[in-house]
Every structure is written in C-alpha cells, then in structure tokens.
Amino acid sequence: KFLFYFLSPHENHGFEYDLLAHLLSSLSERDDLDYSFSRLDLQDIRVATEVVSSNKTRPDAILWRPDDWFICWELKLWASETQKQTEAYIDASSFPAIDLSKSDVREENRHYVYLAPEGASSPEANEFVQLSWEWIASELETFLSQSHGGHPARSTAQLDDFISTIQHELTMTEHQENQQEKSRLYFEHY
C-alpha cells in the first residue's frame, strides 16, 4: 500500500504527480512492457488499491486513465501466486468498484504487472510482466537523487525509509526472521 500511496498524486505526501510521472516514464522505457506514457495524461490518471473485479478477485492495485489504458498490479514479497490469481485477473471483464470495464480499453492498452523479488516464480498468466522489487527500489532511489531538494524533507525522508524497508525485506535471512519472531513472542508473552 505504501508504494501506491506514494504514487497517488492526491495524497498528502508532497510529491504531487512527480513520482508517478517518474515511475510511469520508467515503465514505458522497459522492453518487456509495451506501455507508452504521456505527461499530458497525468491529470487524468487514477490509482486504486485492493480493487474488486467482476469475478470477485482482488488485484493489489490498478493505475488507469479512464477509457484509455490501465495497469493491473499483483504484488508478492515472499508468498507465491495462489489459485491462479493472475489468470483470474485476465479473465475478469471489469473492475466495477472503480467503474472500469475492459471493453472500454483497447486490448493493447491493457497492461499487467507482477511485482516480486528477483528470482521469484513467474506468474501463471503470460500477460503479466514480471518486475522486481529491486527494480522498484532502484527507480525510487533514482527519483530521490534526481529531485534532491525539490520536495518537502518529510516526504523525502518517508520515501527513503520505504526504500530501506524494501531493501531490508529483500535481504532478510531466515535466521533474522526467526530472531524477529522469537523477540515478538517473548514480548507478547512476557
């Protein structure tokens, strides 16, 4: 949810449309995602999380420009895909909660992203392009370095903390996870 909080221009994070524009521009430069981006679209782009689809599945997020394009996101950290989620997202005809019908969007403008750590298993649906959390963290770092001083210090610190959280989660060893769980249980039952 933090990722899409920072990408939502109307949230109170201080980045307005800048981070969204950076990430969408970076996505359009990738060879594996046939997506094109125009800065003229920024005012119309919407972001929603946990969107219920017509077949009662729930993608983690949708970024879309009404009647033009959408990007459906499924995010994974340590869990793998269950019950062919990505295929169900492809099969859904609409996302009624946000009034988005796939029939209103040309097929070539329907995009699907599976965000997982490097080396994670691939999504079931071939339409999904697999991106890594490492790539996202790198893009967020690039954004911060390119916009140094251009945003509120509080916002920059929060985004930097989010990047650190991503990196920490990706490098946490099994031993560290066990130690964290032992500590949590100790304090819970002390």
Side-chain angles (χ1 to χ4, degrees):
K1 287 190 176 186
F2 283 128
L3 175 61
F4 295 101
Y5 164 77
F6 287 120
L7 293 177
S8 299
H10 303 295
E11 293 290 348
N12 192 24
H13 48 58
F15 295 118
E16 298 175 352
Y17 290 91
D18 295 344
L19 182 57
L20 177 64
H22 174 82
L23 187 65
L24 290 176
S25 179
S26 296
L27 285 171
S28 71
E29 293 169 6
R30 292 182 61 97
D31 293 333
D32 55 355
L33 187 66
D34 190 22
Y35 167 74
S36 61
F37 167 68
S38 169
R39 293 183 79 72
L40 299 174
D41 294 346
L42 277 175
Q43 300 296 320
D44 299 326
I45 295 174
R46 298 184 185 156
V47 179
T49 58
E50 296 291 324
V51 178
V52 177
S53 70
S54 57
N55 59 5
K56 307 298 184 224
T57 56
R58 190 181 300 261
D60 290 317
I62 305 281
L63 272 71
W64 80 103
R65 182 168 186 247
D67 302 324
D68 189 15
W69 58 264
F70 69 82
I71 304 174
C72 175
W73 295 74
E74 179 60 25
L75 282 62
K76 298 294 183 188
L77 192 54
W78 298 117
S80 57
E81 181 176 356
T82 57
Q83 301 171 350
K84 300 189 182 221
Q85 292 169 289
T86 55
E87 289 179 0
Y89 303 154
I90 300 297
D91 293 341
S93 62
S94 66
F95 302 99
I98 57 173
D99 196 29
L100 175 63
S101 176
K102 287 185 179 180
S103 63
D104 294 338
V105 177
R106 292 190 340 234
E107 193 166 337
E108 62 269 15
N109 291 340
R110 302 173 193 171
H111 308 285
Y112 302 89
V113 170
Y114 188 80
L115 183 58
E118 287 179 0
S121 58
S122 299
E124 295 287 331
N126 293 331
E127 292 87 347
F128 272 80
V129 172
Q130 190 163 353
L131 299 181
S132 71
W133 278 105
E134 291 84 350
W135 183 83
I136 290 288
S138 174
E139 286 302 320
L140 297 177
E141 285 176 327
T142 299
F143 170 77
L144 282 179
S145 68
Q146 290 175 350
S147 63
H148 185 69
H151 298 98
R154 183 180 128 266
S155 303
T156 302
Q158 288 175 339
L159 185 57
D160 189 52
D161 187 48
F162 177 59
I163 294 166
S164 294
T165 299
I166 293 171
Q167 293 167 336
H168 175 75
E169 287 295 318
L170 293 173
T171 59
M172 185 179 287
T173 65
E174 188 175 328
H175 174 73
Q176 289 170 316
E177 289 175 10
N178 288 338
Q179 291 301 100
Q180 269 188 338
E181 181 65 12
K182 285 179 185 177
S183 296
R184 185 189 68 75
L185 289 171
Y186 174 79
F187 287 110
E188 184 178 311
H189 298 287
Y190 177 72

